[in-house]
Amino acid sequence: MSGNEFDLIHRYFKAQPVVRKDVVLGIGDDAAVISLPENSQLVVTTDSLVAGTHFLADADPVNVAHKALASNLSDLAAMGAVPAWCSLALTMPSPDETWLAGFCDGFYKLAEYYNVQLIGGDTTKGPLSITITLQGIVPAGTAIRRDGAKAGDWLYVTGNLGDSAAGLDVILSGNAPSTELEETLLNRHYYSQPRVLAGQALRAVASSALDISDGLAADLSHILKASGVSAVINTEALPVSDELLEYAGSAENAAKMALSSGEEYELCFTVPESHRGAIDTALAHTNTPVTCIGQVRHGEGLQLRWQGQAVDWQLAGWDHFRSDV
């Protein structure tokens, strides 16, 4: 960046609300040093957000920061991990302290909520982009993977789906939100709720899981391929909000948005019949709504059913190389 790089690091990133006892050495050296609990495994994820691809260059930096960290938290949630430490690589065209102040406000609020300490990173000059590497821990051998689904397992999702796509539509309209409905959907696009506690609870009942970042239909295909199975989704069972129903204009349109909406950061997971009765108990303390939307079967591929009939809806999942945001 410039000669001001170290001043910026010290001013905005060295002082932070979370100071974990397991961080032996944090920001300020060549690398961080952390202590891992016994009988635990490290879970690591990295996500990048680029201006023009994941957010508008003039988007509120508070919103951008939340979205950036939430996407990583959701990845750890899908594995059943407890988030702990992160590093941040920030590229900016120039040192913009107003932008940095807003970004840090949004970042630290979410980091503090999940007890995540920033332990290092990098700043450099270039097109505006944010890359976060988040690390968490799980008891050894308990991480939830994508390859554990079996024929007969039941298919579930957390929360509601589709609101993020509707919020993106509002953004791409080029106009400021003009109604309370549009404002609500816009906020839901930026302010997802990573299902961190739910993911940890699902270690006891789920056979596979992932987070919904590219659209349910697209993401579920990863579980099906990794596990060597197929699935049926009863699309009328997809959980959608009243706001999405109003925005979409019909239940069928809302279901299509729920299937293709990217950057939802809800969880999609499978549960064996033997564990189905334990779901409510496992998730009771997490305040997380879950919905059964279908079942895993033998074979390959994903079948969509609408009101009992097979449908061939053409759906486009989230494309990380698109350039229209």
Side-chain angles (χ1 to χ4, degrees):
M1 189 169 275
S2 72
N4 296 323
E5 177 183 3
F6 296 109
D7 290 339
L8 290 174
I9 292 172
H10 188 273
R11 189 176 311 155
Y12 291 101
F13 300 121
K14 194 162 187 179
Q16 55 179 308
V18 178
V19 180
R20 296 175 58 99
K21 293 181 179 179
D22 50 21
V23 177
V24 179
L25 183 63
I27 294 174
D29 218 299
D30 289 315
V33 181
I34 56 178
S35 295
L36 290 175
E38 290 187 25
N39 301 315
S40 295
Q41 290 176 318
L42 190 67
V43 182
V44 183
T45 182
T46 300
D47 270 328
S48 294
L49 268 68
V50 179
T53 300
H54 301 93
F55 61 93
L56 294 174
D58 61 354
D60 186 333
V62 178
N63 297 344
V64 173
H66 181 101
K67 183 178 178 180
L69 183 53
S71 67
N72 283 267
L73 287 165
S74 186
D75 285 335
L76 289 195
M79 305 290 288
V82 180
W85 319 280
C86 73
S87 56
L88 168 67
L90 184 61
T91 303
M92 302 177 68
S94 61
D96 184 338
E97 297 203 33
T98 300
W99 192 94
L100 277 171
F103 181 87
C104 288
D105 181 47
F107 184 91
Y108 287 136
K109 280 182 180 177
L110 191 58
E112 185 174 17
Y113 185 84
Y114 288 105
N115 195 32
V116 171
Q117 182 174 340
L118 181 64
I119 58 172
D122 189 29
T123 56
T124 190
K125 183 177 181 178
L128 181 60
S129 65
I130 303 126
T131 298
I132 294 175
T133 296
L134 182 63
Q135 300 169 325
I137 51 178
V138 293
T142 67
I144 311 172
R145 297 165 44 149
R146 297 180 177 184
D147 60 0
K150 301 288 191 296
D153 288 359
W154 295 93
L155 184 61
Y156 285 81
V157 293
T158 62
N160 290 324
L161 303 179
D163 287 347
S164 181
L168 181 60
D169 278 351
V170 173
I171 294 171
L172 296 181
S173 72
N175 300 314
S178 59
T179 65
E180 183 177 347
L181 174 64
E182 290 182 347
E183 186 69 38
T184 296
L185 293 171
L186 178 66
N187 285 333
R188 288 179 184 169
H189 173 76
Y190 278 117
Y191 286 91
S192 61
Q193 295 180 290
R195 302 298 187 176
V196 173
L197 287 179
Q200 294 165 35
L202 288 173
R203 292 198 303 251
V205 295
S207 54
S208 68
L210 48 61
D211 79 320
I212 302 172
S213 57
D214 297 332
L216 173 61
D219 283 322
L220 177 57
S221 67
H222 300 312
I223 284 180
L224 303 184
K225 184 176 181 180
S227 299
V229 292
S230 66
V232 174
I233 292 180
N234 301 313
T235 58
E236 68 273 12
L238 291 168
V240 296
S241 67
D242 291 340
E243 291 82 3
L244 182 64
L245 283 169
E246 181 181 349
Y247 185 85
S250 72
E252 183 174 326
N253 287 340
K256 290 178 180 178
M257 294 184 77
L259 286 166
S260 58
S261 178
E263 299 183 327
E264 289 284 354
Y265 305 128
E266 296 289 351
L267 300 182
C268 172
F269 60 98
T270 58
V271 177
E273 176 66 33
S274 59
H275 290 163
R276 198 176 183 194
I279 295 174
D280 289 342
T281 300
L283 294 174
H285 68 289
T286 70
N287 194 32
T288 305
V290 297
T291 305
C292 183
I293 61 169
Q295 193 170 24
V296 179
R297 295 183 175 180
H298 293 290
E300 297 180 353
L302 174 63
Q303 182 184 105
L304 304 178
R305 300 184 70 84
W306 174 255
Q307 298 179 347
Q309 300 296 317
V311 292
D312 185 22
W313 291 343
Q314 299 303 306
L315 304 170
W318 174 259
D319 180 1
H320 289 281
F321 287 93
R322 67 192 296 181
S323 59
D324 57 353
V325 296

